[in-house]
Amino acid sequence: MNKVSLEHRAVALDPAAAGAILTIDLEAVRENYRRLRARLDAARCAGVVKADGYGLGAVQIAQALMAEGCDTFFVAHVGEGISLRDAIGPKPTIYVLNGIPPGAERDATGSNLCAVINSLDQLSAWSKAARDIGHELPAAIQVDSGMSRLGMAASEVLALAADPQAFANIEVTLVMSHLACADEPAHPANKAQRIEFDRLRAMLPPVPASLANSSGIFLGNGFHHQLARPGAALYGINPTPGLENPMLPVVRLQAKVIQTRSVAAGAGVGYGHTAVTGRNSALATISLGYADGWRRRAAASAYFDGVRLPFIGRVSMDSIILDISALPEGRLRPGDMVEMIGPSQTLDEVAGFSGTIGYEVLTSLGHRFHRRYVGVE
Ligand SMILES: *Cc1c(COP(=O)(O)O)cnc(C)c1O
């Protein structure tokens, strides 16, 4: 692991000063990559590290995956691609999923990024950039197989197929599409998208194809093509909702106790006094709030020694109040760390409490935490 890049990402908060500690297990990321790859026969496995590696540090994640032989990464934005390129060197392929915005072609080619081409207009802009530069530029062609989000419509694919000059100056390296319902294996859209993808790509250059995200890998061989593009599963999010999570957890979030107190029955707790104690209670206030990405609506719990400590009252910007009456008196003290995400309460469970998904929980996690990477050699 490259020391410089670690320092570059490490938010300069020492654990003593931080209100919370986010531990990111890079060995678990590597094991998750190995588990996904084991499900793919001939297909290769890329790593999706958009949104700063789902909030966990794109550079650290990419370097961990490279140690497993991963050589292809996907980001969403040109800026993400440029930062990643600076950190991981010239060799890996980096695709920009959202395409290259007009005017950003020079920045993109300067960092040797591969465009994901989502429309005929993007194709001609990329082709023109290649002409200006004087050499071919690499690109993935994304087709819309039924999600109606990004990618060329069938009519555009037909137009391309009819135009022998369509790919002038472009080296097509991948044909791809994205599944809308992969986390619902029984959803009829999966098969429909696969059939439509196979129909559309047959009209395009015979290059490697890519359809599966994390959950798509679990839909079986027919969805694997030549390259899988997992993100979530690498980070420990369950790619098979409703079934046991086949991935290892990657993140652990612990928050620090700032103060404890005893209150009598009938005490109003927190903003709006939305909670009033029904009995004499022991409370603890922890240094984590909605400004840290913990959603205000998420009525969850914290854990200490495996004991559940329910939230009481509203989540504040910088703090949450816990009812710690279940613990022996004096057991929890200022400076102690309680578990927010970890063995007692998984990422997917926390997401469920907030009415959201693990993806959003991870990408919302704030930057006031001390971030600790473990599993780095
Ligand atoms: C985000 C994304 C992925 C990764 O999806 P996961 O569900 O996180 O595995 C793959 N492909 C595309 C086009 C994406 O936008």
Side-chain angles (χ1 to χ4, degrees), residues 10-101:
V11 180
L13 268 183
D14 84 68
I21 296 181
L22 185 69
T23 305
I24 298 156
D25 184 347
L26 295 174
E27 178 48 38
V29 173
R30 289 174 63 163
E31 170 62 18
N32 287 339
Y33 182 80
R34 292 193 291 266
R35 288 183 186 185
L36 293 174
R37 210 176 39 196
R39 296 189 160 267
L40 301 165
D41 291 338
R44 292 184 308 119
C45 192
V48 179
V49 295
K50 60 194 181 189
D52 196 22
Y54 292 41
L56 302 183
V59 171
Q60 286 85 348
I61 300 291
Q63 287 173 335
L65 296 177
M66 283 164 69
E68 290 297 325
C70 180
D71 63 0
T72 304
F73 297 97
F74 288 83
V75 296
H77 291 269
V78 173
E80 294 174 348
I82 293 171
S83 316
L84 186 63
R85 175 65 75 207
D86 286 348
I88 66 174
K91 265 191 136 170
T93 302
I94 302 176
Y95 287 103
V96 181
L97 288 168
N98 281 10
I100 311 298

Side-chain angles (χ1 to χ4, degrees), residues 48 50 54 97 142 149 176 178 213-215 229-233 359:
V48 179
K50 60 194 181 189
Y54 292 41
L97 288 168
Q142 175 152 236
R149 186 178 73 168
M176 61 174 280
H178 194 46
N213 65 338
S214 298
S215 295
R229 307 185 310 269
Y359 298 66

Side-chain angles (χ1 to χ4, degrees), residues 240-278:
T240 58
L243 301 177
E244 198 188 327
N245 190 350
M247 315 316 299
L248 283 183
V250 167
V251 296
R252 175 154 196 229
L253 178 61
Q254 298 160 284
K256 193 175 288 173
V257 174
I258 325 170
Q259 188 173 26
T260 59
R261 64 188 344 106
S262 302
V263 296
V269 180
Y271 282 122
H273 280 184
T274 53
V276 174
T277 52

Side-chain angles (χ1 to χ4, degrees), residues 96-99 116-120 122 140 142 150-153 156:
V96 181
L97 288 168
N98 281 10
V116 173
I117 303 281
N118 292 310
S119 69
L120 291 178
Q122 286 182 4
Q142 175 152 236
L150 285 172
M152 299 209 189
E156 291 181 290

